[in-house]
Every structure is written in C-alpha cells, then in structure tokens.
C-alpha cells in the first residue's frame, strides 16, 4: 500500500458551511452552497514512499476546493468563480494557493511508515485489519500515531472494533506487551481479556521500563490477580474430605489417615502452585490417595471432595 485516495463531499453545516462567490449574469454575486463543494482527490504518502515517488514534487499542504456552479438556461451567460483575494506575505507560506484546476492529484506527506499508516487508516474507518497480521511493534506505533493525530483510542479500540480485535490477536504471543499497551492507554475492556493470558507469566521478570508503561493501577491489578488465585487455591485445599460414622472396618483412626494424606498432598500442591495450574494437575495427586484406602465410604468421600474442589477452582476469576 503506497497511498490512499480520498474523494469525499464536504457536508453543509449551517452558517459555518464553506461558500464561494459566483459572478453571474449582470455582475450580481451568487452564493454556491458548500454541499456543491468537493475535495479533489488527495493522495497521502508515507515518509518512505514520498522519498521515492515521482509525485513528491507536487506535494502541497491542503486539499483543493472547487465548486460546480449550476447551469444557466441562457446560452449566452456563463458562471465563473470570482478570483480569490491576493495572498499576503504573512499567509502565503502557511496557506499556499491550491494547484491549478488541471485534474492533478494532490499529495500530502506523513511521517509514518506504510505499514503503520495502513493500521491507522483501517482503524479510523473501522475496517478489519487483522488479516494483514502486522507485528506488535507496528500495532504499538499505530496507537502512538492515532494519538498524535488527535484520534480517540478509547473509541477506536472499543470492544468489537477492528483495532480491539487486532490487539487481542496479539495477546497469545505477546501477552505482557499487549497488556502494557492496553494499560498505557487505560483500555480496561481490552486489558481484561488479555490478562487471562498472563496467569503463567512470572511477575518477577517485569522490568522497570515495562512497569512504568503499565502504570501502578494496572500493575497492582495484575499482582492481585496472581496473588488472589494462589490464596484461593490454598483456601480450597485446606478442607479435607468429609468423614463418616465409625465402623468396624473403618474407625476414627483409619479416617485420620486419609486426612493426613490429604494434608500432605495439599502441601505439595501449594508449594509449587501457580495461578495457571490446570485441573488435571490439581486432581491427579489427590485421586492417587484412593489407592491407600480400603473403605468404600472413604473412597467415595475422597472422590466427592475432589469433584467439588475442581468445580470451585474453575469458578475462580481468571482476569483482572
């Protein structure tokens, strides 16, 4: 993608609409409404394209406005646009005159590379851009460019938008970077689903630069997510299987063996516990305790307790 073509009408907006003086028959001045004004085709070149493009010599700083006066019924009368006022030296440099009406394409240089500009334009016009699979560095630079152009990233990256989907697609491969990007621009709706990919992330590896980009609020939320899930796992493992009434083949002493075995297995799980521990890794060492039991009621109590533990662990919050 080397450039973009824009050919849009300027809508009339009350008293602020742009108008041109049209000299009609008899010298009477007429007003052409702004709805008849059109912006001629404007080509936007990226910095890397403008340096090599043969059209870079015709670059101007603003689009050309032209009017389409209405056709008069008298064949002898013609409508011509009144000549614009002469430019003063103070305004000639900041407001150059439009190019001649020769059908040429106006160009406008931009400093962003073409891949970054591609993401920017697609985001502004709400066009899907994930199919281009840009690298994360390009996506991050596009956010900076959007802010530089005065666009609201909170609106452009709203849930369901193309920019939202693009950043979310980067989360599996670059979770901490995607989270830092969302946190830097205070995009809570985007940071929340990304945080689910950070359960296996080692928080001690967060650098000072990364922590500064994330900010204290979102960094605290990430730490609390890890800490909260670890503490919840400890609380769930504290409850051993429920005992039953003493029997001839299984008295209180036999049931205490199950309680001690549960406590030992739980201690091993908590020692190596991580916020992203899977259900299989959680229930496998606990179900192995059944091999040491001979009482059918104790075995059933163990299976019931593990089943409840799995359901409770699956219900623990996995996002900030």
């Amino acid at each position: 993608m080397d450039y973009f073509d824009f050919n849009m009408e300027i809508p009339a907006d009350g008293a602020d609409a742009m108008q041109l003086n049209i000299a009609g028959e008899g010298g009477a001045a007429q007003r052409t409404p702004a709805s008849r004004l059109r912006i001629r085709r404007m080509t936007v070149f990226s910095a890397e394209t403008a340096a090599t493009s043969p059209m870079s010599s015709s670059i101007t700083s603003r689009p050309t406005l032209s009017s389409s006066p209405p056709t008069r019924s008298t064949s002898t009368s013609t409508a011509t646009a009144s000549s614009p006022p002469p430019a003063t030296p103070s305004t000639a440099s900041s407001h150059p005159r439009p190019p001649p009406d020769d059908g040429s394409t106006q160009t406008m240089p931009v400093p962003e590379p073409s891949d970054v500009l591609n993401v920017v334009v697609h985001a502004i016009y709400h066009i899907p851009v994930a199919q281009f699979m840009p690298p994360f560095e390009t996506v991050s630079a596009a956010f900076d460019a959007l802010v530089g152009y005065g666009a609201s990233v909170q609106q452009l990256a709203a849930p369901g938008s193309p920019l939202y989907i693009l950043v979310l697609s980067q989360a599996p491969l670059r979770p901490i970077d995607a989270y830092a990007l969302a946190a830097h621009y205070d995009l809570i709706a985007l940071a929340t689903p990304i945080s689910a990919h950070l359960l296996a992330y080692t928080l001690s590896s967060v650098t000072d630069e990364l922590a500064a980009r994330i900010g204290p609020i979102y960094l605290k939320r990430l730490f609390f997510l890890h800490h909260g899930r670890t503490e919840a796992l400890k609380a769930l493992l504290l409850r051993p299987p429920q005992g039953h009434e003493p029997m001839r083949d299984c008295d209180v002493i036999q049931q205490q063996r199950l309680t001690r075995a549960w406590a030992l297995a739980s201690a091993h799980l908590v020692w190596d516990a991580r916020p992203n521990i899977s259900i299989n890794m959680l229930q496998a060492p606990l179900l192995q305790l059944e091999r040491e039991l001979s009482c059918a009621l104790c075995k059933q109590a163990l299976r019931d307790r593990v089943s409840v533990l799995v359901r409770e662990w699956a219900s623990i919050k996995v996002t900030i």
Side-chain angles (χ1 to χ4, degrees):
M1 180 200 63
D2 291 334
Y3 61 87
F4 300 92
D5 290 339
F6 299 89
N7 190 14
M8 62 187 74
E9 292 190 0
I10 299 179
D13 190 11
D16 295 334
M18 300 178 60
Q19 296 180 345
L20 290 179
N21 291 328
I22 305 299
E25 184 178 5
Q30 299 179 357
R31 310 291 288 183
T32 299
S35 59
R36 303 296 301 275
L37 297 178
R38 297 180 60 86
I39 298 180
R40 292 191 179 276
R41 178 172 298 177
M42 179 177 63
T43 304
V44 182
F45 283 91
S46 63
E48 61 184 8
T49 306
T52 58
S53 174
M55 300 178 63
S56 59
S57 60
S58 62
I59 292 178
T60 58
S61 62
R62 64 176 183 177
T64 302
L65 299 179
S66 64
S67 64
S68 300
T71 304
R72 302 182 62 86
S73 58
T74 305
S75 59
T76 58
S77 62
T78 58
T80 58
S82 60
S83 59
T88 61
S90 59
T91 61
S93 58
S94 59
H95 299 285
R97 289 187 177 184
D101 190 8
D102 56 358
S104 60
T105 301
Q106 184 177 354
T107 59
M108 178 178 295
V110 292
E112 287 77 18
S114 59
D115 54 348
V116 175
L117 188 62
N118 182 48
V119 176
V120 169
V121 175
H122 279 76
I124 292 176
Y125 286 95
H126 298 280
I127 303 175
V129 68
Q131 68 273 14
F132 296 103
M133 294 183 293
F136 178 80
E137 289 74 15
T138 299
V139 178
S140 180
F143 268 77
D144 297 336
L146 286 170
V147 174
Y149 288 127
S152 174
V153 294
Q154 283 75 17
Q155 296 180 0
L156 295 179
S161 64
L163 195 59
Y164 176 93
I165 297 174
L166 176 62
V167 178
L168 200 59
S169 66
Q170 303 280 338
L173 298 178
R174 304 284 292 272
I176 190 62
D177 295 326
Y179 181 80
L181 178 64
H184 183 70
Y185 292 103
D186 193 18
L187 302 174
I188 183 62
L190 184 58
T192 299
I194 293 176
S195 63
H197 298 276
L198 292 172
L199 296 179
Y201 186 77
T202 304
L203 296 180
S204 59
S205 61
V206 176
T207 62
D208 295 342
E209 180 182 2
L210 188 59
R213 181 169 177 81
I214 294 175
I217 296 178
Y218 285 86
L219 189 61
K220 182 196 73 172
R221 291 174 178 174
L222 183 58
F223 270 84
F224 277 24
L225 172 63
H226 281 229
H227 179 73
R229 286 182 59 85
T230 303
E231 292 298 318
L233 179 60
K234 293 179 181 179
L236 294 177
L237 290 172
L238 282 178
R239 300 194 300 270
Q242 188 175 3
H244 57 81
E245 293 293 332
M247 301 173 57
R248 178 183 301 179
D249 297 335
C250 184
D251 54 9
V252 177
I253 297 178
Q254 294 292 333
Q255 296 181 37
Q256 288 179 352
R257 293 178 56 186
L258 174 59
T259 303
R260 289 193 297 268
W262 177 275
L264 181 60
S266 299
H268 284 287
L269 286 173
V270 171
W271 183 263
D272 297 328
R274 296 184 60 84
N276 66 325
I277 185 172
S278 64
I279 292 178
N280 291 332
M281 294 182 62
L282 181 61
Q283 66 180 357
L286 298 175
L287 290 177
Q288 290 181 357
L289 301 178
E290 187 177 349
R291 300 177 181 178
E292 304 176 4
L293 303 176
S294 58
C295 176
L297 294 178
C298 290
K299 291 181 179 180
Q300 185 61 41
L302 176 62
R303 289 192 294 266
D304 293 343
R305 181 67 189 95
V306 172
S307 178
V308 173
L309 174 65
V310 168
R311 291 197 303 268
E312 291 177 340
W313 177 244
S315 64
I316 300 299
K317 188 179 181 181
V318 296
T319 60
I320 59 174

